Amino acid sequence: MSNRLRDKINRIKCFVLGRACDIKDPRLFHRLSLIAFFAWIGLGADGLSSSCYGPEEAFLALQGHIFLGIFVAIGTALTILIIAASYSQIVELFPGGGGGYLVASKLLSPQLGMISGCALLIDYVLTITLSISSGADAIFSFLPPSWIIYKLPFAVCGLLLLIVLNLKGVKESVLPLVPIFLTFIIAHVFAILYGFFTHLMDFGALAQSTRADIGQTYSQLGTMGIVLLIMRSYSMGAGTYTGIEAVSNGVPILREPQVKTAKKTMFYMAISLAFMAFGLMVNYLLYRVQHVPGKTLNAVLMGSVTAGWDPHIGGTFVLITLLSEGILLFVAAQTGFLDGPRVLANMSADRWFPFQFALLSERFVIKHGIVLMGLASLTLMIFSRGSVKFLVVLYSINVFITFCLSQAGMVRHWWKSRFGPDPWRRRLAVNGIGLILTVFILVMVIVIKFGEGGWITLIMTGSLVAVAAGVKRYYRRTQKILKRLDKLVYTVEAYQEKSSDVKQSVPGFDETSKTAVILVNGFNGMGLHTLFSVVRLFGDTFKNFVFMEAGIIDAGSFKGTDAIDALKEKISVDLSRYENYMREQGFFATTYSAIGPHVIDEISTMARKVYEKYPNCIFFGGQIVFDEESYLDKFLYNHVTFAVQKRLHQEGMPFMVMPIQAG
């Protein structure tokens, strides 16, 4: 790619996505991170939007025995609070981000963590697809029936818009959603409270109706029938609990102190969702809401709430309320875009998936993850033609796989910590109850939904697990090579220990000799192999050595100013070890370093500075090469050295690759 074409592409990106963020800005992370209120909107929309369909699914599953719904409503609210409390403990234990993948990996096993992560990824793809499809359904229910042919294109455009917004930045993707979110909250809270206060005198009758319904159901189904009916209804409303785990996954994007912000966000989410789910189900009972074809129960409820109002005021309120529901369902897809790429990045850092999915853009968002989640959702939407009925069947299974593994890991942790100073009994009880509830719901959801299409979700998850296991196997091959090379580190360290007591003068720059510029990535066997190859092949040609390293700011390191400072410190220490070693050998040595999201750009910038100061220099970089390189090898392994060679050659700077044979 020519410099002119590259500049043109950069200008287009800048126009669409915004200017690149400056990593040297001390307030960068503060500006990009979310306070609890914005996190509640960005991460909580998924949970709150589930009140548009979760309570309805539970209520309809009662099969006419509607007054048993009071037990389901209470159980749903308590379950939300218990799961939220258990995830607050996870946030405390994993202050750098404790989603289902990390919890299961650290507290159970890497393999179970991988399964949990794959389940979450499929769940987030379904979250995006279902949310946007449901939003399109809600919005097109207000439009003329002849417009229905445009529903799928509308949903696709909405999805593409969300992809662009998320590529612009986290805060940029959340801010436009604030008025929609607040409209939804205010309208629904008002409707629920209005229903409560206008029916204060009816709560006694509600209790009597519940007793009568219990008696009637008992005569028809018996005690076990009542229990099973309530449990089935409770399980069918499982979609209500999805989204609660989003805060623990999203801790890295929260404002410092992150744990405090995360717990505050979790509190907002749990209280609002529990109130909404409980309040809607109770109002279904107070207004004797019944299913009307073509309408949601919430639409029927809002019509009943405003039945005695002025027609213009009531109609406007219903329109605003239901329209906010429809748009919030679009907003709920934001949770998938915020947390899905982060889970993918964490798994990529552990080499379950290609390392590219941990890289950040100039706007410091996980660019490849956002695009992949968007494309996967787009494929599923087109395949399902945006059918909410079909997508609901696939939904909510995977999130409970993650719930179960996370709770099991925490239970194991508190049991192993029972001899420590922490109040382990209370914490064990919270996660233990959470484990029992989530296991029960998972089993019920699988049993109920498997024959209806839930098996498709399990096949998709199993296929992704197989892909992750295959990628890990490929990466292990490279790890063996690098481990073999790391023996050079022990050799150098042993030499430095022996020569540490010998005082040596610092060699000056030799203007009569060439300069070797070695590209390294940490003080490791690969860097030393490159250095020794240069010395072995060129003998006394080089008397001056420059070591150059660019640290990648990826999803793992972009967690706050402390993480960035730690990365800078590590690079400085690694480079000083190369510099000290070569000076001990009697050579002039110095170092250059930089950090940024694009390692090739950072290296190119440093290379220009080095070439300007040492025009008689040659650049070197080590690169693992394969005898018969496949497409998978090209995709999975880091080919930064080849990319840098091409860039520097275009700018007239000499660069040589020192091959490391992989076999």
Side-chain angles (χ1 to χ4, degrees), residues 507-584:
F509 178 70
D510 189 342
E511 296 181 358
T512 63
S513 298
K514 289 183 177 293
T515 301
V517 184
I518 313 293
L519 178 62
V520 298
N521 182 25
F523 188 75
N524 51 37
M526 192 167 181
L528 289 171
H529 182 277
T530 305
L531 171 62
F532 294 158
S533 296
V534 171
V535 173
R536 184 179 69 254
L537 292 173
F538 295 95
D540 295 332
T541 303
F542 298 103
K543 296 291 187 183
N544 311 301
F545 287 84
V546 176
F547 296 94
M548 200 166 65
E549 180 174 0
I552 301 179
I553 300 178
D554 57 15
S557 57
F558 193 66
K559 294 182 178 180
T561 53
D562 291 343
I564 298 297
D565 291 340
L567 176 62
K568 291 178 181 177
E569 179 63 23
K570 182 182 182 304
I571 292 172
S572 177
V573 170
D574 289 340
L575 287 175
S576 65
R577 295 177 72 181
Y578 284 108
E579 182 179 8
N580 293 336
Y581 175 72
M582 292 309 291
R583 285 179 175 178
E584 290 166 1

Side-chain angles (χ1 to χ4, degrees), residues 411-480:
V411 166
R412 184 184 183 191
H413 169 76
W414 297 126
W415 180 251
K416 290 172 68 176
S417 305
R418 65 188 183 279
F419 300 113
D422 290 335
W424 64 275
R425 286 186 176 85
R426 178 179 62 81
R427 296 177 182 273
L428 177 65
V430 171
N431 288 118
I433 295 172
L435 177 61
I436 293 170
L437 287 175
T438 53
V439 167
F440 171 78
I441 296 172
L442 175 63
V443 172
M444 290 292 291
V445 167
I446 291 177
V447 170
I448 293 169
K449 291 188 173 183
F450 185 85
E452 299 176 6
W455 58 271
I456 298 175
T457 301
L458 297 178
I459 287 179
M460 287 193 299
T461 306
S463 300
L464 191 59
V465 166
V467 169
V471 170
K472 186 74 168 181
R473 185 169 60 250
Y474 266 87
Y475 274 125
R476 284 201 183 108
R477 176 174 54 166
T478 309
Q479 289 172 350
K480 289 179 182 178

Side-chain angles (χ1 to χ4, degrees), residues 6 10 48 54 75 147 232 238 290 300 308 335 345 364 432 455 492 520 542 607 609 634 655 660 662:
R6 189 182 296 114
N10 288 336
L48 276 177
W147 290 26
R232 184 178 187 277
Q290 295 182 350
V300 177
T335 301
F364 290 96
W455 58 271
V492 170
V520 298
F542 298 103
K609 295 177 182 177
K634 292 179 181 179
F655 189 103
I660 300 171

Side-chain angles (χ1 to χ4, degrees), residues 370-392:
I370 290 172
V371 172
L372 180 67
M373 298 297 290
L375 291 178
S377 300
L378 182 62
T379 303
L380 183 58
M381 183 176 293
I382 293 173
F383 172 76
S384 65
R385 300 197 61 79
S387 170
V388 174
K389 185 177 181 180
F390 172 74
L391 292 169
V392 164

